[in-house]
Amino acid sequence: MSRGHTDVPEPVTEACPITEVLDRVAGKWSIGILVAAAQGPIRFTELERTVKGISRRMLTLNLRKLERDGLLTRTVHPTVPPKVEYALTPMARELHATLGELVGWAERHRSAIATARAAYDDARAAD
Amino acid sequence: MSRGHTDVPEPVTEACPITEVLDRVAGKWSIGILVAAAQGPIRFTELERTVKGISRRMLTLNLRKLERDGLLTRTVHPTVPPKVEYALTPMARELHATLGELVGWAERHRSAIATARAAYDDARAAD
DNA sequence: CTGAATCCTTCAGGATACTG
DNA sequence: CAGTATCCTGAAGGATTCAG
């Protein structure tokens, strides 16, 4: 959350369920991981390859966060070499489905947004 | 987006509509503003009071971003003192509705997540 | 009232090397 | 293979001041 260096009591803002979801899904990678794991159980290295651009460190941190929130299960197979599989929990599958709605919105309005931006930008460019 | 200081071409990851939405709604405040404005046209100072904890700077920056993306309209009333009203566009209303789905998810699983966390945490506490 | 500008702190996240 | 441990940078965001 991070509220800077001051320490005002922050009277409101909490108890907001939207913030709750977003905090869970925030960051550059959480969703990518969720999507990659949606296909079925997936291994660490597979994730590293599938979620393009992610660093090993960020992958680990995000996996831990998602696991902690009960969105991912981590299964260690005591073989050698080690094999660890991550899978979505039912709760996470629901989330994944709901995110689909957002994707729908994004796809429907993608071009409208691009247009709005262009308009806004060259309205200011015309100073 | 910020990809750190390296400059790898980043072959994939883009064209992802989820990232598109999230980028638009990301940050601590965008959603709060959207929600506050969902009630109807709202003035700068009202937003400052409604979105608890936001700084004037962040409010301005986020308003500009949302306006640029075509999610908010900004209407200046040439009175004195100046009066500026912000309102959601139809596109933003749709988004607001869709976000409701996420809120639903959050509310349904809020306690499950809390439980998962507690379990995870004291599983490690028991080293 | 509605901002824009400046300065400063915190933190997410990248690179890399090392371990069981 | 599946991580952990360091170190470092850029961006987000808070405080404050100035201006139309």
Side-chain angles (χ1 to χ4, degrees), chain B residues 6 43 45 56 60 64 74 86:
Chain B
T6 53
R43 302 182 53 176
T45 312
R56 190 167 299 151
T60 302
R64 295 293 167 270
R74 177 171 178 273
Y86 294 90

Side-chain angles (χ1 to χ4, degrees), chain A residues 22 105 112-121 124, chain B residues 1 18-34 44 47 54 56-74 86-89 91-92 95:
Chain A
L22 261 350
W105 181 89
I113 291 171
T115 303
R117 275 201 206 199
Y120 183 97
D121 286 350
R124 332 279 123 173
Chain B
M1 252 285 142
I18 312 190
T19 302
E20 294 236 337
V21 201
L22 262 349
D23 280 357
R24 200 144 296 107
V25 147
K28 246 165 91 179
W29 306 111
S30 301
I31 294 198
I33 294 173
L34 247 23
F44 188 88
L47 279 167
I54 195 170
R56 190 167 299 151
R57 174 180 141 81
M58 279 303 111
L59 179 54
T60 302
L61 288 175
N62 279 287
L63 286 173
R64 295 293 167 270
K65 188 178 76 165
L66 293 170
E67 187 192 353
R68 182 166 111 102
D69 285 344
L71 295 176
L72 280 184
T73 59
R74 177 171 178 273
Y86 294 90
L88 296 196
T89 61
M91 185 165 75
L95 176 59

Side-chain angles (χ1 to χ4, degrees), chain A residues 2 12-13 18 21-22 24 28 31 52 68-69 91 94-95 102-103 105-106 108-109 116-117 121, chain B residues 2 12-13 18 21-22 24 28 31 52 68-69 91 94-95 102-103 105-106 108-109 116-117 121:
Chain A
S2 116
V12 194
T13 303
I18 312 191
V21 201
L22 261 350
R24 202 145 295 108
K28 245 164 90 179
I31 295 198
K52 297 289 180 177
R68 183 166 109 103
D69 285 344
M91 184 165 76
E94 265 191 60
L95 176 60
L102 265 311
V103 176
W105 181 89
R108 281 198 304 282
H109 300 290
R117 275 201 206 199
D121 286 350
Chain B
S2 110
V12 195
T13 303
I18 312 190
V21 201
L22 262 349
R24 200 144 296 107
K28 246 165 91 179
I31 294 198
K52 298 288 181 178
R68 182 166 111 102
D69 285 344
M91 185 165 75
E94 266 191 58
L95 176 59
L102 264 312
V103 175
W105 181 88
R108 282 198 303 284
H109 299 291
R117 275 203 205 198
D121 287 350

Side-chain angles (χ1 to χ4, degrees), chain A residues 68-86:
Chain A
R68 183 166 109 103
D69 285 344
L71 294 176
L72 281 183
T73 59
R74 177 172 179 273
T75 314
V76 182
H77 299 81
T79 61
V80 47
K83 175 178 177 178
V84 181
E85 285 188 322
Y86 294 90

Side-chain angles (χ1 to χ4, degrees), chain A residues 10-48:
Chain A
E10 177 166 359
V12 194
T13 303
E14 358 65 359
C16 171
I18 312 191
T19 301
E20 293 237 336
V21 201
L22 261 350
D23 279 358
R24 202 145 295 108
V25 147
K28 245 164 90 179
W29 306 111
S30 301
I31 295 198
I33 294 173
L34 246 24
V35 171
Q39 314 297 317
I42 187 170
R43 303 181 54 175
F44 188 90
T45 311
E46 291 175 330
L47 279 167
E48 202 172 0

